[in-house]
Amino acid sequence: QVQLVESGGGSVQAGGSLRLSCRASGGPYCSYDMSWYRQAPEKEREFVSGIGRDGTTTYADSVKGRFTISQDNAKKMVYLQMNSLKPEDTATYYCKMEAIGGPWCTTRSTYWGQGTQVTVSS
């Protein structure tokens, strides 16, 4: 069973930075893509950034140029460097894994972490 554990959230002032980490454990899996989502109070969960096993990255328009996603496959870690934070970035941030596993590498599964809170004050 896969488990995802996020860390690195906290409270910062606008313009500050935070680095979120997500550690994956369990498996096995044949391949996976990792991403970050966030959910503000009374809002739907939204995509923030994703990274494929080949390193291809995608970003929501709202965070382009400010956030950077990276991963360390050997350590099963994914990171989200968040710079120039704004009050509207305040949310609970979730790590997500979309994995392909099973004996023939055909089983698709989705896993979520428990979330880490990011609060940005003006």
Side-chain angles (χ1 to χ4, degrees):
Q1 184 69 19
V2 173
Q3 283 191 318
L4 303 175
V5 179
E6 302 99 333
S7 61
S11 298
V12 295
Q13 291 190 326
S17 298
L18 284 173
R19 189 193 193 209
L20 305 184
S21 299
C22 173
R23 180 174 61 84
S25 62
Y29 29 79
C30 304
S31 66
Y32 57 88
D33 294 326
M34 300 293 295
S35 54
W36 288 95
Y37 281 70
R38 66 186 181 187
Q39 187 168 18
E42 301 181 358
K43 290 190 177 181
E44 293 187 356
R45 191 171 296 188
E46 64 176 5
F47 171 80
V48 175
S49 181
I51 186 166
R53 190 164 176 83
D54 62 356
T56 302
T57 59
T58 54
Y59 296 93
D61 288 342
S62 59
V63 306
K64 279 181 182 176
R66 301 188 297 122
F67 291 10
T68 303
I69 191 170
S70 60
Q71 65 184 355
D72 184 331
N73 289 328
K75 296 181 179 179
K76 296 183 180 180
M77 297 286 295
V78 63
Y79 307 97
L80 187 68
Q81 178 66 44
M82 306 186 295
N83 298 328
S84 302
L85 283 162
K86 304 175 181 180
E88 51 263 45
D89 294 318
T90 295
T92 301
Y93 283 71
Y94 297 90
C95 178
K96 176 185 177 183
M97 173 188 280
E98 295 178 271
I100 297 177
W104 297 281
C105 297
T106 57
T107 302
R108 294 181 178 271
S109 301
T110 300
Y111 304 96
W112 291 91
Q114 83 289 350
T116 185
Q117 178 66 36
V118 171
T119 303
V120 185
S121 58
S122 57

